[in-house]
């Protein structure tokens, strides 16, 4: 059982600062149970296009910084929209940088989904992330369909989800799965 605080690293598949996926991750930050912290990655949009020739000694510093955030985290949270029935290019690029590295194998991962649709991207992400040997914690899956709603409605739904315990329940399930693997 993990006795120390649990650190989670959240990866947002949308690079828009006001995206529903980012808002969901920010709401999860506010709903953390005691002993759990969430840092949201702000590096994905800065990563260069993946090129295997630039791995190893040639790995760009921003990629090393991105990988270091993943390495030090006890688990990952992914919130990603579906673009044209698939994974957004920038997010897939970030994952490509991690494929041959050792930060992700067997790392626990939780999905936080901000839409009532997007099952295609969830299936594609599941396939890619399992291929990368991440451990997807199905019991912690969170879906809060705020996409397409007004800013005011999104804020109200996120507040209700926080106050009702919906967000903290998913985080607690994720925390339990992480502790059980330690």
């Amino acid at each position: 059982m993990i006795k120390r605080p649990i650190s989670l690293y959240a990866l947002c598949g949308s690079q828009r600062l006001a995206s529903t996926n980012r808002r969901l991750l920010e709401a999860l930050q506010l709903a953390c149970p005691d002993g759990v912290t969430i840092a949201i990655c702000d590096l994905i949009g800065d990563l260069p296009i993946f090129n295997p020739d630039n791995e190893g000694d040639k790995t760009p510093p921003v990629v090393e910084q991105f990988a270091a955030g993943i390495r030090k985290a006890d688990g990952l949270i992914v919130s990603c929209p579906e673009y044209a029935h698939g994974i957004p290019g920038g997010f897939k690029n970030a994952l490509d940088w991690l494929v041959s590295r050792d930060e992700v194998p067997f790392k626990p991962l939780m999905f936080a989904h901000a839409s009532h649709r997007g099952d295609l991207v969830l299936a594609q992400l599941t396939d890619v992330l399992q291929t990368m040997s991440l451990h997807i914690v199905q019991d912690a899956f969170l879906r809060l369909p705020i996409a397409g709603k007004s800013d005011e409605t999104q804020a109200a739904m996120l507040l209700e989800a926080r106050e009702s315990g919906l967000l903290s329940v998913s985080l607690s399930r994720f925390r339990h799965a992480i502790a059980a693997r330690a």
Side-chain angles (χ1 to χ4, degrees):
M1 215 46 159
I2 292 181
K3 301 280 188 203
R4 63 179 171 71
I6 293 178
S7 171
L8 304 176
Y9 200 47
L11 307 178
C12 186
S14 174
Q15 296 309 294
R16 284 185 32 230
L17 286 179
S19 77
T20 54
N21 294 279
R22 181 155 186 109
R23 287 181 177 157
L24 181 54
L25 293 173
E26 289 167 349
L28 282 166
Q29 274 184 316
L30 297 173
C32 282
D34 288 339
V36 177
T37 60
I38 298 173
I40 299 174
C41 176
D42 288 321
L43 300 172
I44 293 173
D46 297 332
L47 299 174
I49 294 173
F50 174 71
N51 180 341
D53 291 339
N54 293 329
E55 290 184 293
D57 293 343
K58 296 180 181 179
T59 302
V62 69
V63 173
E64 293 290 358
Q65 187 181 357
F66 173 60
I70 291 170
R71 177 179 314 249
K72 73 178 184 178
D74 297 303
L76 303 176
I77 301 174
V78 168
S79 187
C80 186
E82 183 176 299
Y83 287 171
H85 285 192
I87 301 169
F91 193 68
K92 179 61 169 79
N93 181 61
L95 296 176
D96 288 344
W97 275 110
L98 299 170
V99 168
S100 64
R101 299 180 62 95
D102 66 356
E103 288 85 5
V104 295
F106 313 111
K107 184 144 323 239
L109 182 137
M110 169 187 162
F111 282 121
H113 198 62
S115 180
H116 64 284
R117 28 175 223 251
D119 291 337
L120 290 173
V121 77
L122 289 170
Q124 290 172 13
L125 281 169
T126 297
D127 186 43
V128 169
L129 295 168
Q130 286 178 334
T131 298
M132 294 170 64
S133 299
L134 281 127
H135 171 69
I136 299 170
V137 178
Q138 298 293 343
D139 193 38
F141 177 79
L142 171 67
R143 183 184 296 245
L144 187 62
I146 60 173
K149 309 265 194 283
S150 70
D151 287 346
E152 295 80 19
T153 301
Q154 286 180 26
M157 289 176 71
L158 290 166
L159 180 62
E160 170 62 26
R162 199 168 99 224
E163 289 179 349
S164 72
L166 177 68
L167 303 180
S168 59
V169 166
S170 287
L171 288 170
S172 293
R173 289 178 179 161
F174 192 42
R175 175 187 189 177
H176 178 73
I178 292 169
R181 295 177 62 85

